[in-house]
Amino acid sequence: QDVRRFLVEQLPPLRRVLRDRPTDVGLLARAAAALLVANPDDGHGRAMLARALEEGSEPGPVGLRAKGETPRERFEATCALALAAARAARPEDAEALLAAAAFQAPDLVRAGGAPTFWWLATGAYGLFGAATEAELRAGDAREQASFGSGVAVLAGGARAGSRFGASAAPAEGHLFVRAEVIYGRPFEASEGPIALTLRSELGELWSDGPEPLPLGESIAFELAVQAERAVSRPIVEIALPTGVVVTDATLAAMNQASAVRRATRRRPGFLRLELEPLAAEALTTLPLPLTFFARGELAGLGMSAYDVDAPGERTTTGPRALSIE
């Protein structure tokens, strides 16, 4: 009843946009989307959509985009018009608008706010398709990878100058692909004054083979830190594998540990721990809850530990082979 009452109250001012602001493309697009989401047969919403498409759209680098003063305004209006066109059963217009929005999306949606809202709204109402497999290419490496929770992973050695690509065929609609590429250099282990050991609730992560870990479940890792001599300002950095997100809950768990001064996210894909001073031979155990959102054979959880006052004396452990099922 509350939702219905809210919609009833909002419909008249939305419909008045057609009379009061007939040349405001951004407002027409948003109002049309709202009205047609509520009722695909709304006459005012369909009229706003038609006016915006006829007078407020133009060919873009790809597809059809809404007119606007700034790239952000054009993107938001284009997404809103795509949603309105889909709700009004105008699939060709929706497809052309969505193509233009997808062309702009990588630069505009990462900062959040209204662009991200309208981009997610197009997906929430089914304008994108869904794929279960994709061919991933990196240099000479090719792999038919399966999606797990929307993520497919290609782990391979690509050299400088290699071309990267991905292709997938959704059942229907568009498929939006965002690639996360991580470059590395050959790893060399070293021993410093701080020893590191990483275990999970399933046992120690041995280096002689991957241990199956569950997809989409929080796994309680445990990091043991031991100094052979007193260390006044210890730092531990952990390289996270593809598909692992350090959530606010993870940071909260780390920061609640008495041995942690501060835990912070670092880009790309690093967790940095500033620890309290370590006494000689003292053993400190830290919680590290992680959730894996990508299925496949991954590499990650390499670690580095050092004293801020003597960064040249550093302990480094290599990335581990991880099997996510």
Side-chain angles (χ1 to χ4, degrees), residues 193-195 224-234 258-259 261 275-285 307:
I194 304 174
V225 182
Q226 188 170 22
E228 66 179 23
R229 64 171 187 264
V231 177
S232 59
R233 299 174 62 191
S258 59
R261 283 180 174 173
L275 305 183
E276 297 290 346
L278 299 173
E281 303 299 331
L283 176 65
T284 299
T285 302
D307 187 346

PDB file of all heavy atoms in Angstrom, residues 193-195 224-234 258-259 261 275-285 307:
ATOM      1  N   PRO A 193      63.498 -10.481   8.428  1.00  0.00           N
ATOM      2  CA  PRO A 193      63.336 -10.729   9.863  1.00  0.00           C
ATOM      3  C   PRO A 193      61.925 -11.124  10.278  1.00  0.00           C
ATOM      4  O   PRO A 193      61.708 -11.487  11.435  1.00  0.00           O
ATOM      5  CB  PRO A 193      63.731  -9.388  10.482  1.00  0.00           C
ATOM      6  CG  PRO A 193      63.421  -8.378   9.427  1.00  0.00           C
ATOM      7  CD  PRO A 193      63.721  -9.055   8.136  1.00  0.00           C
ATOM      8  N   ILE A 194      60.944 -11.067   9.346  1.00  0.00           N
ATOM      9  CA  ILE A 194      59.557 -11.383   9.682  1.00  0.00           C
ATOM     10  C   ILE A 194      59.134 -12.616   8.905  1.00  0.00           C
ATOM     11  O   ILE A 194      59.183 -12.642   7.672  1.00  0.00           O
ATOM     12  CB  ILE A 194      58.619 -10.213   9.347  1.00  0.00           C
ATOM     13  CG1 ILE A 194      59.071  -8.937  10.052  1.00  0.00           C
ATOM     14  CG2 ILE A 194      57.183 -10.534   9.727  1.00  0.00           C
ATOM     15  CD1 ILE A 194      58.287  -7.698   9.661  1.00  0.00           C
ATOM     16  N   ALA A 195      58.725 -13.673   9.633  1.00  0.00           N
ATOM     17  CA  ALA A 195      58.256 -14.903   8.998  1.00  0.00           C
ATOM     18  C   ALA A 195      56.736 -14.852   8.855  1.00  0.00           C
ATOM     19  O   ALA A 195      56.032 -14.404   9.760  1.00  0.00           O
ATOM     20  CB  ALA A 195      58.671 -16.113   9.832  1.00  0.00           C
ATOM     21  N   ALA A 224      49.807 -15.934  10.253  1.00  0.00           N
ATOM     22  CA  ALA A 224      50.708 -15.973  11.400  1.00  0.00           C
ATOM     23  C   ALA A 224      51.955 -15.156  11.086  1.00  0.00           C
ATOM     24  O   ALA A 224      52.593 -15.351  10.039  1.00  0.00           O
ATOM     25  CB  ALA A 224      51.083 -17.408  11.740  1.00  0.00           C
ATOM     26  N   VAL A 225      52.300 -14.215  11.952  1.00  0.00           N
ATOM     27  CA  VAL A 225      53.445 -13.325  11.774  1.00  0.00           C
ATOM     28  C   VAL A 225      54.379 -13.497  12.961  1.00  0.00           C
ATOM     29  O   VAL A 225      53.960 -13.381  14.119  1.00  0.00           O
ATOM     30  CB  VAL A 225      52.988 -11.855  11.671  1.00  0.00           C
ATOM     31  CG1 VAL A 225      54.183 -10.941  11.440  1.00  0.00           C
ATOM     32  CG2 VAL A 225      51.950 -11.682  10.575  1.00  0.00           C
ATOM     33  N   GLN A 226      55.649 -13.778  12.677  1.00  0.00           N
ATOM     34  CA  GLN A 226      56.629 -13.963  13.755  1.00  0.00           C
ATOM     35  C   GLN A 226      57.930 -13.266  13.379  1.00  0.00           C
ATOM     36  O   GLN A 226      58.445 -13.432  12.268  1.00  0.00           O
ATOM     37  CB  GLN A 226      56.886 -15.443  14.022  1.00  0.00           C
ATOM     38  CG  GLN A 226      57.752 -15.692  15.245  1.00  0.00           C
ATOM     39  CD  GLN A 226      57.800 -17.157  15.621  1.00  0.00           C
ATOM     40  OE1 GLN A 226      57.555 -18.029  14.798  1.00  0.00           O
ATOM     41  NE2 GLN A 226      58.119 -17.443  16.871  1.00  0.00           N
ATOM     42  N   ALA A 227      58.454 -12.469  14.289  1.00  0.00           N
ATOM     43  CA  ALA A 227      59.683 -11.718  14.049  1.00  0.00           C
ATOM     44  C   ALA A 227      60.851 -12.386  14.770  1.00  0.00           C
ATOM     45  O   ALA A 227      60.733 -12.779  15.928  1.00  0.00           O
ATOM     46  CB  ALA A 227      59.527 -10.278  14.533  1.00  0.00           C
ATOM     47  N   GLU A 228      61.970 -12.516  14.068  1.00  0.00           N
ATOM     48  CA  GLU A 228      63.149 -13.115  14.706  1.00  0.00           C
ATOM     49  C   GLU A 228      63.845 -12.123  15.629  1.00  0.00           C
ATOM     50  O   GLU A 228      64.623 -12.503  16.486  1.00  0.00           O
ATOM     51  CB  GLU A 228      64.113 -13.634  13.646  1.00  0.00           C
ATOM     52  CG  GLU A 228      64.752 -12.545  12.789  1.00  0.00           C
ATOM     53  CD  GLU A 228      65.719 -13.097  11.770  1.00  0.00           C
ATOM     54  OE1 GLU A 228      65.601 -14.281  11.397  1.00  0.00           O
ATOM     55  OE2 GLU A 228      66.616 -12.331  11.351  1.00  0.00           O
ATOM     56  N   ARG A 229      63.555 -10.840  15.424  1.00  0.00           N
ATOM     57  CA  ARG A 229      64.061  -9.805  16.317  1.00  0.00           C
ATOM     58  C   ARG A 229      62.984  -8.729  16.441  1.00  0.00           C
ATOM     59  O   ARG A 229      61.991  -8.755  15.709  1.00  0.00           O
ATOM     60  CB  ARG A 229      65.361  -9.202  15.774  1.00  0.00           C
ATOM     61  CG  ARG A 229      65.221  -8.474  14.449  1.00  0.00           C
ATOM     62  CD  ARG A 229      66.507  -7.729  14.101  1.00  0.00           C
ATOM     63  NE  ARG A 229      66.368  -6.883  12.931  1.00  0.00           N
ATOM     64  CZ  ARG A 229      66.723  -7.245  11.700  1.00  0.00           C
ATOM     65  NH1 ARG A 229      67.238  -8.446  11.494  1.00  0.00           N
ATOM     66  NH2 ARG A 229      66.551  -6.403  10.690  1.00  0.00           N
ATOM     67  N   ALA A 230      63.168  -7.808  17.332  1.00  0.00           N
ATOM     68  CA  ALA A 230      62.174  -6.765  17.544  1.00  0.00           C
ATOM     69  C   ALA A 230      62.026  -5.911  16.276  1.00  0.00           C
ATOM     70  O   ALA A 230      63.022  -5.500  15.677  1.00  0.00           O
ATOM     71  CB  ALA A 230      62.550  -5.895  18.736  1.00  0.00           C
ATOM     72  N   VAL A 231      60.772  -5.650  15.887  1.00  0.00           N
ATOM     73  CA  VAL A 231      60.464  -4.828  14.709  1.00  0.00           C
ATOM     74  C   VAL A 231      59.514  -3.725  15.168  1.00  0.00           C
ATOM     75  O   VAL A 231      58.427  -4.000  15.671  1.00  0.00           O
ATOM     76  CB  VAL A 231      59.815  -5.671  13.595  1.00  0.00           C
ATOM     77  CG1 VAL A 231      59.439  -4.786  12.412  1.00  0.00           C
ATOM     78  CG2 VAL A 231      60.742  -6.786  13.147  1.00  0.00           C
ATOM     79  N   SER A 232      59.914  -2.489  14.963  1.00  0.00           N
ATOM     80  CA  SER A 232      59.141  -1.380  15.525  1.00  0.00           C
ATOM     81  C   SER A 232      57.924  -0.992  14.688  1.00  0.00           C
ATOM     82  O   SER A 232      56.877  -0.621  15.225  1.00  0.00           O
ATOM     83  CB  SER A 232      60.049  -0.154  15.697  1.00  0.00           C
ATOM     84  OG  SER A 232      60.598   0.239  14.442  1.00  0.00           O
ATOM     85  N   ARG A 233      58.050  -1.059  13.352  1.00  0.00           N
ATOM     86  CA  ARG A 233      56.947  -0.622  12.496  1.00  0.00           C
ATOM     87  C   ARG A 233      56.736  -1.638  11.363  1.00  0.00           C
ATOM     88  O   ARG A 233      57.050  -1.392  10.205  1.00  0.00           O
ATOM     89  CB  ARG A 233      57.229   0.766  11.931  1.00  0.00           C
ATOM     90  CG  ARG A 233      57.396   1.844  12.994  1.00  0.00           C
ATOM     91  CD  ARG A 233      57.828   3.161  12.375  1.00  0.00           C
ATOM     92  NE  ARG A 233      56.828   3.675  11.429  1.00  0.00           N
ATOM     93  CZ  ARG A 233      57.058   4.694  10.591  1.00  0.00           C
ATOM     94  NH1 ARG A 233      58.251   5.283  10.577  1.00  0.00           N
ATOM     95  NH2 ARG A 233      56.105   5.118   9.779  1.00  0.00           N
ATOM     96  N   PRO A 234      56.179  -2.789  11.682  1.00  0.00           N
ATOM     97  CA  PRO A 234      56.029  -3.840  10.670  1.00  0.00           C
ATOM     98  C   PRO A 234      54.880  -3.555   9.691  1.00  0.00           C
ATOM     99  O   PRO A 234      53.826  -3.051  10.078  1.00  0.00           O
ATOM    100  CB  PRO A 234      55.739  -5.093  11.498  1.00  0.00           C
ATOM    101  CG  PRO A 234      55.145  -4.572  12.767  1.00  0.00           C
ATOM    102  CD  PRO A 234      55.766  -3.241  13.026  1.00  0.00           C
ATOM    103  N   SER A 258      43.898  -6.847  17.772  1.00  0.00           N
ATOM    104  CA  SER A 258      44.705  -5.987  18.637  1.00  0.00           C
ATOM    105  C   SER A 258      46.082  -5.702  18.065  1.00  0.00           C
ATOM    106  O   SER A 258      46.696  -4.684  18.376  1.00  0.00           O
ATOM    107  CB  SER A 258      44.854  -6.641  20.018  1.00  0.00           C
ATOM    108  OG  SER A 258      45.476  -7.921  19.896  1.00  0.00           O
ATOM    109  N   ALA A 259      46.579  -6.586  17.196  1.00  0.00           N
ATOM    110  CA  ALA A 259      47.928  -6.409  16.638  1.00  0.00           C
ATOM    111  C   ALA A 259      47.940  -5.514  15.410  1.00  0.00           C
ATOM    112  O   ALA A 259      49.012  -5.202  14.891  1.00  0.00           O
ATOM    113  CB  ALA A 259      48.525  -7.771  16.294  1.00  0.00           C
ATOM    114  N   ARG A 261      47.372  -1.985  13.555  1.00  0.00           N
ATOM    115  CA  ARG A 261      47.154  -0.535  13.662  1.00  0.00           C
ATOM    116  C   ARG A 261      46.128  -0.070  12.646  1.00  0.00           C
ATOM    117  O   ARG A 261      45.209   0.682  12.953  1.00  0.00           O
ATOM    118  CB  ARG A 261      48.462   0.213  13.427  1.00  0.00           C
ATOM    119  CG  ARG A 261      49.433   0.199  14.588  1.00  0.00           C
ATOM    120  CD  ARG A 261      50.685   0.978  14.214  1.00  0.00           C
ATOM    121  NE  ARG A 261      51.598   1.125  15.348  1.00  0.00           N
ATOM    122  CZ  ARG A 261      52.800   1.635  15.253  1.00  0.00           C
ATOM    123  NH1 ARG A 261      53.246   2.062  14.067  1.00  0.00           N
ATOM    124  NH2 ARG A 261      53.583   1.745  16.315  1.00  0.00           N
ATOM    125  N   LEU A 275      51.064  -3.048  11.359  1.00  0.00           N
ATOM    126  CA  LEU A 275      50.950  -3.788  12.613  1.00  0.00           C
ATOM    127  C   LEU A 275      51.567  -3.016  13.766  1.00  0.00           C
ATOM    128  O   LEU A 275      52.395  -2.108  13.588  1.00  0.00           O
ATOM    129  CB  LEU A 275      51.637  -5.155  12.483  1.00  0.00           C
ATOM    130  CG  LEU A 275      51.167  -6.049  11.319  1.00  0.00           C
ATOM    131  CD1 LEU A 275      51.894  -7.384  11.373  1.00  0.00           C
ATOM    132  CD2 LEU A 275      49.663  -6.250  11.351  1.00  0.00           C
ATOM    133  N   GLU A 276      51.160  -3.418  14.967  1.00  0.00           N
ATOM    134  CA  GLU A 276      51.803  -2.917  16.179  1.00  0.00           C
ATOM    135  C   GLU A 276      53.221  -3.482  16.256  1.00  0.00           C
ATOM    136  O   GLU A 276      53.543  -4.479  15.587  1.00  0.00           O
ATOM    137  CB  GLU A 276      50.997  -3.339  17.414  1.00  0.00           C
ATOM    138  CG  GLU A 276      49.591  -2.765  17.475  1.00  0.00           C
ATOM    139  CD  GLU A 276      49.582  -1.267  17.726  1.00  0.00           C
ATOM    140  OE1 GLU A 276      50.639  -0.718  18.123  1.00  0.00           O
ATOM    141  OE2 GLU A 276      48.533  -0.631  17.525  1.00  0.00           O
ATOM    142  N   PRO A 277      54.119  -2.873  17.051  1.00  0.00           N
ATOM    143  CA  PRO A 277      55.489  -3.389  17.157  1.00  0.00           C
ATOM    144  C   PRO A 277      55.508  -4.870  17.540  1.00  0.00           C
ATOM    145  O   PRO A 277      54.688  -5.332  18.342  1.00  0.00           O
ATOM    146  CB  PRO A 277      56.099  -2.516  18.258  1.00  0.00           C
ATOM    147  CG  PRO A 277      55.320  -1.236  18.188  1.00  0.00           C
ATOM    148  CD  PRO A 277      53.925  -1.629  17.837  1.00  0.00           C
ATOM    149  N   LEU A 278      56.448  -5.591  16.941  1.00  0.00           N
ATOM    150  CA  LEU A 278      56.613  -7.015  17.222  1.00  0.00           C
ATOM    151  C   LEU A 278      57.827  -7.241  18.112  1.00  0.00           C
ATOM    152  O   LEU A 278      58.914  -6.728  17.817  1.00  0.00           O
ATOM    153  CB  LEU A 278      56.792  -7.800  15.918  1.00  0.00           C
ATOM    154  CG  LEU A 278      55.631  -7.746  14.914  1.00  0.00           C
ATOM    155  CD1 LEU A 278      56.043  -8.431  13.615  1.00  0.00           C
ATOM    156  CD2 LEU A 278      54.389  -8.402  15.501  1.00  0.00           C
ATOM    157  N   ALA A 279      57.638  -7.992  19.163  1.00  0.00           N
ATOM    158  CA  ALA A 279      58.762  -8.359  20.028  1.00  0.00           C
ATOM    159  C   ALA A 279      59.520  -9.528  19.407  1.00  0.00           C
ATOM    160  O   ALA A 279      58.975 -10.278  18.592  1.00  0.00           O
ATOM    161  CB  ALA A 279      58.252  -8.730  21.418  1.00  0.00           C
ATOM    162  N   ALA A 280      60.773  -9.685  19.781  1.00  0.00           N
ATOM    163  CA  ALA A 280      61.585 -10.777  19.257  1.00  0.00           C
ATOM    164  C   ALA A 280      60.945 -12.116  19.589  1.00  0.00           C
ATOM    165  O   ALA A 280      60.532 -12.364  20.731  1.00  0.00           O
ATOM    166  CB  ALA A 280      63.000 -10.709  19.839  1.00  0.00           C
ATOM    167  N   GLU A 281      60.827 -12.979  18.588  1.00  0.00           N
ATOM    168  CA  GLU A 281      60.286 -14.332  18.695  1.00  0.00           C
ATOM    169  C   GLU A 281      58.792 -14.363  19.018  1.00  0.00           C
ATOM    170  O   GLU A 281      58.220 -15.445  19.192  1.00  0.00           O
ATOM    171  CB  GLU A 281      61.054 -15.158  19.750  1.00  0.00           C
ATOM    172  CG  GLU A 281      62.544 -15.250  19.484  1.00  0.00           C
ATOM    173  CD  GLU A 281      62.852 -15.918  18.154  1.00  0.00           C
ATOM    174  OE1 GLU A 281      62.058 -16.765  17.699  1.00  0.00           O
ATOM    175  OE2 GLU A 281      63.879 -15.555  17.557  1.00  0.00           O
ATOM    176  N   ALA A 282      58.130 -13.225  19.104  1.00  0.00           N
ATOM    177  CA  ALA A 282      56.699 -13.211  19.416  1.00  0.00           C
ATOM    178  C   ALA A 282      55.899 -13.652  18.188  1.00  0.00           C
ATOM    179  O   ALA A 282      56.221 -13.293  17.062  1.00  0.00           O
ATOM    180  CB  ALA A 282      56.261 -11.825  19.857  1.00  0.00           C
ATOM    181  N   LEU A 283      54.859 -14.432  18.423  1.00  0.00           N
ATOM    182  CA  LEU A 283      53.994 -14.935  17.349  1.00  0.00           C
ATOM    183  C   LEU A 283      52.651 -14.214  17.417  1.00  0.00           C
ATOM    184  O   LEU A 283      51.992 -14.199  18.454  1.00  0.00           O
ATOM    185  CB  LEU A 283      53.793 -16.446  17.477  1.00  0.00           C
ATOM    186  CG  LEU A 283      52.831 -17.080  16.460  1.00  0.00           C
ATOM    187  CD1 LEU A 283      53.390 -16.958  15.056  1.00  0.00           C
ATOM    188  CD2 LEU A 283      52.568 -18.542  16.819  1.00  0.00           C
ATOM    189  N   THR A 284      52.258 -13.618  16.308  1.00  0.00           N
ATOM    190  CA  THR A 284      50.980 -12.908  16.226  1.00  0.00           C
ATOM    191  C   THR A 284      50.127 -13.558  15.148  1.00  0.00           C
ATOM    192  O   THR A 284      50.603 -13.849  14.046  1.00  0.00           O
ATOM    193  CB  THR A 284      51.209 -11.422  15.866  1.00  0.00           C
ATOM    194  OG1 THR A 284      52.001 -10.816  16.892  1.00  0.00           O
ATOM    195  CG2 THR A 284      49.886 -10.688  15.749  1.00  0.00           C
ATOM    196  N   THR A 285      48.859 -13.819  15.476  1.00  0.00           N
ATOM    197  CA  THR A 285      47.936 -14.441  14.534  1.00  0.00           C
ATOM    198  C   THR A 285      46.825 -13.457  14.188  1.00  0.00           C
ATOM    199  O   THR A 285      46.211 -12.863  15.078  1.00  0.00           O
ATOM    200  CB  THR A 285      47.327 -15.724  15.129  1.00  0.00           C
ATOM    201  OG1 THR A 285      48.388 -16.628  15.472  1.00  0.00           O
ATOM    202  CG2 THR A 285      46.415 -16.401  14.125  1.00  0.00           C
ATOM    203  N   ASP A 307      60.054  -3.985   7.819  1.00  0.00           N
ATOM    204  CA  ASP A 307      60.012  -2.913   8.802  1.00  0.00           C
ATOM    205  C   ASP A 307      60.142  -1.585   8.052  1.00  0.00           C
ATOM    206  O   ASP A 307      61.012  -1.444   7.193  1.00  0.00           O
ATOM    207  CB  ASP A 307      61.160  -3.084   9.801  1.00  0.00           C
ATOM    208  CG  ASP A 307      61.083  -2.108  10.970  1.00  0.00           C
ATOM    209  OD1 ASP A 307      60.314  -1.125  10.881  1.00  0.00           O
ATOM    210  OD2 ASP A 307      61.794  -2.324  11.970  1.00  0.00           O
TER     211      ASP A 307
END
